[in-house]
Amino acid sequence: MAATVSSGNISSVEKVDFKKLQNGSDIRGVAIAGVEGEPVNLTERVAEAIAEGFANWLVEKKKGDAARQLRVSVGHDSRISADILQAAVARGITRGGLGVVLYGLASTPAMFYSTVTDREDMFCPVDGSIMITASHLPYNRNGFKFFTSSGGLGKADISNILSRAADIYARLSNESVQASADSSSIKKVPFMDEYASSLVEAVRKGAGGLERPLEGFHIIVDAGNGAGGFFLGKVLVPLGASTSGSQFLEPDGMFPNHIPNPEDKEAMAAVKKAVLDNGADLGIIFDTDVDRAAAVDSNGNEMNRNGLIALIAAIILAEHPGTTIVTDSVTSDGLTDFIENKLGGKHHRFKRGYKNVIDEGIRLNSVGQECHLAIETSGHGALKENLWLDDGAYLMVKLLIKMAAAKAAGEGIGSKVLTDLIQDLQEAEVSAEIRLKIDQNHSDLGSGSFRDYGERILKHLESVTDSDPNLKKAPVNYEGVRVSAHGGWFLLRLSLHDPVLPLNIEGPSKAAVQKIAGVVHSVVKDYKALDLKALEKYL
């Protein structure tokens, strides 16, 4: 399917609401027409304005470097709108007076890596970086992630850039012809080779300096037709691994085989089948832009969500005994028990949102509480040793190092080494994730916003919990209301961006989950703007 991105020759600037493009610390929009009910709002001109807004923001941040031309690296995942948006981004950056270094197909972690890599032949370190991606979202979406050497930009920075972009867009919309990017300010380099080499060297170093530490291992990669195919040829093969049976390595922005998402059941089933069919030692699966990952052992056991957190935590706590592990809010009670009582670490359960989790890990270190791992159930994970880079590929490198080092030391062969690390993790028998939607047009909201309404529901739930001896509220909680009941737990919170109250439930049985769902239902049933159909399925 050929990409058709609107050039954005719009007569009325009001047709683009730049604020609606913000998705926390990212920018997300619709770049391809054709999906009913999803009008295009990330046009070429919108992208150009955002890129120029970032350039202006970066110049302001780097005032001390006025004597030289600043440089911005630009990469993209496999989406069909990538090339057109990349050209628009290059125009915006050069229009802002900055140099552009194009990487082509790249991973999000590589883009941050370009801001901290010292390689003048590759024009590194760059001053800023833009990754064109919308993670695992459908083919018609796209977006941007921004980096400097300090890490990913925060929400306030994104708001600032979008405000600048709105003003720039007003000017661009009055121009009849789009100017071409200044080609003298644009360079192209194969930076993914440099990034992949850093992963190879990390494994060799961790495995005691062996040149081919993965020789004898059979490892399968499922890239989901995203940007992760490089991991096979540029990382696993140089390390000596056999990779037959790997699948969906070719970039294809229509994602014809499965959603490139380590949380998706169909995606995990696909890599599990590949591992079992080929008798592999390990299966690795990435999301579209490779900042998330998961694994499957030789018996088809999935290592994602709580399992992946437990596995990485076990490796990190062996290296840094007693350290704090930061996670998001929906991790299980079993994970807390595993980290604190089996591994001797500290579990700091924080908020949803990978940037929230990573920033909290950094903050804890700044106030004297040692933290070496910040990781979300989604598969986003960052390590202190890796400059707090949110990197799915590096998480997998940690697994490969453990396997290779264990084999070299005669401690075991294959992924059983990994599985044994988490054999004491107790997972709930039944879990549920339910989204309770708030009807923003319902009269029950009164004059307030959906956020006000959601907060009102949470306060009521908290009040009920405090007065019921059968319900035990979590003593430390940073998001929503988390309660233990009927041998399990639930967390009701307000979505970061949408008019939704996500509800997570875990219990030892279907009956327990049913009882917990009943507790929540009894509290929220009188809130008429709340759609309870999804919850009532569990009653």
Side-chain angles (χ1 to χ4, degrees), residues 149-161:
S149 59
S150 298
L153 271 58
K155 294 179 183 178
D157 298 320
I158 300 301
S159 295
N160 185 310
I161 290 167

Side-chain angles (χ1 to χ4, degrees), residues 19-24 28 136-137 141 155 352 435-440 445 449-455 458 479 493-502 530:
K19 290 181 181 179
K20 289 186 177 180
L21 293 170
Q22 181 162 3
N23 184 59
R28 298 272 177 86
H136 62 282
L137 294 181
R141 310 293 185 85
K155 294 179 183 178
R352 286 286 276 178
R435 293 172 65 82
L436 307 179
K437 297 180 181 179
I438 300 172
D439 181 355
Q440 298 184 77
L445 267 71
S449 67
F450 79 83
R451 185 163 295 280
D452 296 329
Y453 193 74
E455 293 291 354
L458 293 176
E479 183 174 48
R493 61 187 176 85
L494 187 58
S495 171
L496 296 174
H497 314 295
D498 303 317
V500 172
L501 285 167
L530 203 59

Side-chain angles (χ1 to χ4, degrees), residues 70-88:
L70 302 182
R71 294 183 294 219
V72 175
S73 59
V74 181
H76 60 77
D77 65 18
S78 60
R79 293 175 180 279
I80 60 175
S81 55
D83 289 338
I84 294 173
L85 291 181
Q86 178 180 258

Side-chain angles (χ1 to χ4, degrees), residues 184-436:
S184 66
S185 296
I186 297 178
K187 311 294 182 185
K188 293 183 180 180
V189 296
F191 186 75
M192 284 301 293
D193 293 347
E194 169 66 17
Y195 167 72
S197 293
S198 74
L199 299 179
V200 170
E201 291 308 310
V203 176
R204 286 174 176 160
K205 181 180 178 181
L210 296 174
E211 182 72 13
R212 294 168 63 82
L214 298 183
E215 204 151 39
F217 288 111
H218 185 180
I219 301 172
I220 280 176
V221 174
D222 183 329
N225 302 111
F230 78 94
F231 199 80
L232 186 148
K234 297 182 185 296
V235 178
L236 294 179
V237 170
L239 292 170
S242 169
T243 58
S244 60
S246 292
Q247 58 191 16
F248 316 141
L249 305 175
E250 291 300 314
D252 184 340
M254 294 303 293
F255 309 123
N257 295 292
H258 62 68
I259 298 171
N261 180 4
E263 287 191 286
D264 181 70
K265 291 181 179 179
E266 183 181 346
M268 291 304 297
V271 68
K272 175 180 177 178
K273 183 177 187 301
V275 167
L276 295 177
D277 287 351
N278 290 277
D281 295 301
L282 185 72
I284 292 173
I285 184 168
F286 295 114
D287 76 336
T288 317
D289 57 327
V290 201
D291 57 3
R292 296 189 296 138
V296 173
D297 73 10
S298 57
N299 292 318
N301 297 310
E302 297 178 6
M303 293 180 282
N304 64 347
R305 297 182 63 80
N306 288 298
L308 179 63
I309 296 173
L311 182 55
I312 301 295
I315 293 171
I316 294 302
L317 280 161
E319 298 170 349
H320 305 282
T323 196
T324 297
I325 308 298
V326 178
T327 73
D328 59 333
S329 60
V330 300
T331 48
S332 67
D333 287 348
L335 179 67
T336 300
D337 178 69
F338 180 73
I339 291 173
E340 298 191 342
N341 299 324
K342 302 297 193 300
L343 300 178
K346 300 180 184 68
H347 183 196
H348 183 83
R349 188 187 287 120
F350 198 55
K351 301 175 182 178
R352 286 286 276 178
Y354 72 92
K355 192 72 167 58
N356 288 331
V357 172
I358 294 171
D359 286 349
E360 181 68 359
I362 295 170
R363 187 194 69 81
L364 290 179
N365 280 289
S366 72
V367 298
Q369 183 173 343
E370 182 191 74
C371 173
H372 286 269
L373 172 64
I375 185 168
E376 230 193 359
T377 48
S378 64
H380 283 287
L383 285 81
K384 183 179 180 182
E385 70 185 53
N386 195 38
L387 302 174
W388 294 113
L389 169 56
D390 177 29
D391 191 345
Y394 194 82
L395 291 183
M396 296 301 101
V397 159
K398 295 296 288 186
L399 305 190
L400 298 178
I401 290 172
K402 183 63 180 178
M403 290 171 62
K407 179 185 177 185
E411 297 173 353
I413 298 177
S415 59
K416 186 176 185 299
V417 171
L418 305 178
T419 307
D420 286 350
L421 288 176
I422 56 174
Q423 62 182 348
D424 293 330
L425 173 67
Q426 297 297 314
E427 292 271 44
E429 289 296 322
V430 183
S431 62
E433 293 188 33
I434 305 164
R435 293 172 65 82
L436 307 179

Side-chain angles (χ1 to χ4, degrees), residues 329-330 477 479-483 489-493 502-504:
S329 60
V330 300
N477 190 53
E479 183 174 48
V481 181
R482 186 179 178 114
V483 177
W489 62 272
F490 71 83
L491 172 69
L492 185 67
R493 61 187 176 85
L503 172 65
N504 291 79

